[in-house]
Amino acid sequence: MRRLTERAVDMADACLFMMDARAGLLPADEVFADILRRKNAHVILAANKSEGKAGDAGYYDAYSLGLGEPIRLSAEHGEGLGELMTALEPIAEEFEARAAETAPETDVDIVEGEDGELEEARVPTAEKPLQVAVIGRPNAGKSTLINKLIGEDRLLTGPEAGITRDSISLRFDWGDVPTRIFDTAGMRKKAKVQEKVEKLSVADGLRAVKFAEVVVVLLDAAIPFEQQDLRIADLAEREGRAVVIAVNKWDVEPEKQAKLAGLKEAFNRLLPQLRGAPLVTISAKTGKGMDRLQAAVMRAHETWNRRVSTARLNRWLTEMLQQHPPPAPGGRRIKLRYMTQVKTRPPAFVVMCSHPDKLPDSYSRYLINGLREDFDMPGTPIRLTMRGQGDKNPYKNRKKSTPSRLRKHLGKGRADEK
Ligand SMILES: Nc1nc2c(ncn2[C@@H]2O[C@H](COP(=O)(O)OP(=O)(O)OP(=O)(O)O)[C@@H](O)[C@H]2O)c(=O)[nH]1
Ligand SMILES: [Mg+2]
């Protein structure tokens, strides 16, 4: 109990310390007062059950805690709430200002320079750290994992499902990479992740996915790839995030070899859209596999930022067309003329095509899989758009370096994004 209290006090912006004015000061009050004096700068002291006269002696006792002037409170009768509010307001304002300063990025920038040329992949900095979200079903060990990574017991963990209620982000250096990592509430079955994303974006874990550049989908080795896990992984892919699958609690897995083979098979079968994404086995409890997880996350981030030059792409496209020509519906072969990468994070490509509507999806998949293999982009979502002749040249009309944040406000109506 004491440890939990200390952690909660650590994490809180402000603490309301309630003593029982009718019972007077008790030894336990001293214990809590001591924790508060040491750990939290913003303590509001309340002498509760202060309605009537029976609490008077206890109220004056409360001064001796050395936590400032107590508020006369009656939680049951609603007395003293105005004073409580008055005490809380200046603290809240201070924290609001601070929170606005340190708030995580809500939009992931696309690094783009003049004339649609993509710049070098961004390198995370202290100001703009690498953003990683850990998501998964309740009890998978998300909070335990983050505690292990940051080397401190900052987050509450426990054997019951549903310990984490709100997502929280923590700054740390992962190796030498400035990182902000998001812990999230375990996603429960009833959260229907397949509904419209807008509707769902209210849900905690989904918001964390939007903040993130890399999403770590944490599975419990004992119950991997359940329906929920699949939905979560699919959502991260559809949102265009780099995905790393981590299978936790590997320390208590009895049949490691056979299990791993089964996991890989299930992964390829159930999540073909994430083909090639890294799958690492870890133990958040013992710390085993943390280095492999780190390597997988950094690599996924790098791949997600990958840029392929237009010249290389078109040489590649020519070869792909020779190896496996597109179909010729009604005797006229569909022509794929030209290809370019229009975005990174995740990588997106446009192919100029004579009849985009007639080109089967299987051909797009052929190209996507080829891109993955030949340009070493496993796991990352790849977007491929076929554009017809009448459509705009992807190089035309490209706004010169409008910051993406501004663009968001202007609306995403750029011709080449339609
Ligand atoms: N054996 C073993 N137990 C683990 C491991 N990681 C976490 N646990 C245990 O699993 C339980 C759940 O861990 P949490 O970190 O609270 O799980 P969570 O995913 O944050 O859960 P919610 O916050 O409820 O969504 C705790 O009892 C942990 O001690 C692991 O690698 N091995
Ligand atoms: Mg948790």
Side-chain angles (χ1 to χ4, degrees), residues 276-294:
L279 182 149
V280 291
T281 54
I282 62 167
S283 169
K285 198 169 171 184
T286 67
K288 198 145 190 222
M290 293 301 114
D291 44 353
R292 271 179 294 136
L293 178 62
Q294 179 185 358

Side-chain angles (χ1 to χ4, degrees), residues 165-357:
R165 292 305 178 89
D166 293 299
S167 82
I168 174 173
S169 76
L170 296 171
R171 270 283 283 115
F172 78 114
D173 287 341
W174 200 349
D176 53 7
V177 180
T179 304
R180 183 188 294 280
I181 196 159
F182 290 76
D183 188 20
T184 59
M187 292 198 193
R188 281 150 193 289
K189 275 213 180 80
K190 55 183 181 226
K192 287 206 186 84
V193 186
Q194 258 160 354
E195 281 177 32
K196 271 215 169 108
V197 170
E198 287 89 304
K199 245 191 197 170
L200 288 159
S201 60
V202 290
D204 182 75
L206 307 177
R207 211 171 315 145
V209 169
K210 292 206 182 259
F211 286 141
E213 295 167 273
V214 183
V215 170
V216 175
V217 177
L218 194 66
L219 310 179
D220 184 330
I223 31 172
F225 295 121
E226 288 231 318
Q227 208 56 39
Q228 275 157 283
D229 297 323
L230 298 178
R231 290 209 188 107
I232 291 167
D234 179 60
L235 178 98
E237 196 278 339
R238 278 187 290 136
E239 287 290 306
R241 275 34 187 162
V243 175
V244 172
I245 309 278
V247 184
N248 192 29
K249 310 197 185 179
W250 201 243
D251 54 312
V252 287
E253 175 56 47
E255 296 286 344
K256 293 194 169 52
Q257 210 93 37
K259 183 76 176 200
L260 188 60
L263 282 170
K264 290 200 164 145
E265 185 279 319
F267 178 39
N268 288 332
R269 179 167 41 86
L270 299 168
L271 289 167
Q273 66 276 43
L274 282 169
R275 208 170 112 163
L279 182 149
V280 291
T281 54
I282 62 167
S283 169
K285 198 169 171 184
T286 67
K288 198 145 190 222
M290 293 301 114
D291 44 353
R292 271 179 294 136
L293 178 62
Q294 179 185 358
V297 166
M298 298 309 159
R299 177 136 190 273
H301 184 243
E302 194 265 317
T303 306
W304 195 60
N305 279 289
R306 182 71 49 81
R307 178 195 185 322
V308 185
S309 78
T310 302
R312 277 184 76 198
L313 273 177
N314 284 291
R315 277 201 301 275
W316 173 85
L317 181 63
T318 308
E319 256 174 51
M320 290 296 278
L321 294 174
Q322 274 168 7
Q323 259 172 41
H324 183 24
R332 296 187 57 185
R333 190 164 304 283
I334 299 174
K335 288 199 178 96
L336 305 188
R337 297 205 158 83
Y338 175 80
M339 180 172 188
T340 188
Q341 182 170 358
V342 291
K343 272 187 178 185
T344 59
R345 307 158 65 72
F349 304 85
V350 166
V351 180
M352 302 307 280
C353 175
S354 59
H355 293 285
D357 48 321

Side-chain angles (χ1 to χ4, degrees), residues 365-380:
R365 277 200 299 278
Y366 161 68
L367 292 178
I368 288 177
N369 290 336
L371 282 168
R372 267 198 218 302
E373 277 176 29
D374 298 332
F375 296 106
D376 192 27
M377 296 189 282
T380 199

